[in-house]
Amino acid sequence: GREGRFLHANSKFKSLFGYGPDEVYDGRTWFRRAFPQEQYRKMVVSLWQKDVGTFVPGEKVPRLLTVTCRDGSEKIVNIITVQLGSGDYIVSFEDVTERVEASEALRRSEEKHRAVIESTSDAIVMLDLKRDIVSCNTAFLQLFGYEKNDIMGKSVRITHRSYESFEYLGERIYPDVKKKGTARIEWVFARKDGSLFPAETVISVVRLDDGTI
């Protein structure tokens, strides 16, 4: 209600947080129980007060917050508030803990992966299916003499001495890559300044979670 009292809470609210209607019956008790850490609670209350001043009836206002449940566990919750024309509010709660934690784990994994790639002395480049450069490490840039902005999105053709070399390597090695997932070959490449050098090249397929290459 407009005075801060909870007019109704469904059974899903209790199953999600563990609080019954006799334990959380207005905004004050909700903030105190759901956000027991004082500094965090002050931040949440400040956000709520800010939102209240900008609500437009019918407009959804989401907030991603960490809620403490009755048993002391914490859940990351997408809290969506809608103001009704009467001035009352409808608040829905979506538990997104697993989704957020999975996203964070993926981010940490990607950061670790990038750190490993950057720390190696081997030149590493990632290409898309058109053999355009998607990313590369510092060792690759140093080996070929390019700045990152010079090559991102460009065809890896720029590392070959000729178009024929680029095409021939593709014809020789990519059938094995598609069949076995990886292939190894010795090839002569060209730096930005035109100098040539031989190198052993290992090409591997990277498959995403959805199975795409």
Side-chain angles (χ1 to χ4, degrees), residues 83-119:
Q83 185 184 47
L84 303 179
S86 62
D88 293 334
Y89 301 95
I90 293 179
V91 184
S92 63
F93 304 86
E94 179 189 9
D95 183 2
V96 294
T97 307
E98 291 185 3
R99 187 192 315 166
V100 172
E101 289 180 345
S103 178
E104 179 63 18
L106 178 61
R107 184 189 64 79
R108 289 195 299 267
S109 176
E110 289 175 343
E111 287 182 351
K112 183 178 180 180
H113 180 67
R114 283 195 295 269
V116 169
I117 289 177
E118 277 299 319
S119 65

Side-chain angles (χ1 to χ4, degrees), residues 17-53:
F17 300 116
Y19 299 118
D22 56 330
E23 297 173 293
V24 176
Y25 46 82
D26 62 12
R28 186 180 297 275
T29 57
W30 164 250
F31 285 126
R32 189 173 66 250
R33 289 181 177 274
F35 312 106
Q37 204 282 324
E38 185 178 0
Q39 286 300 113
Y40 190 69
R41 181 170 65 250
K42 286 181 178 179
M43 184 273 290
V44 173
V45 171
S46 176
L47 288 175
W48 168 255
Q49 291 173 338
K50 178 182 177 181
D51 288 343
V52 167

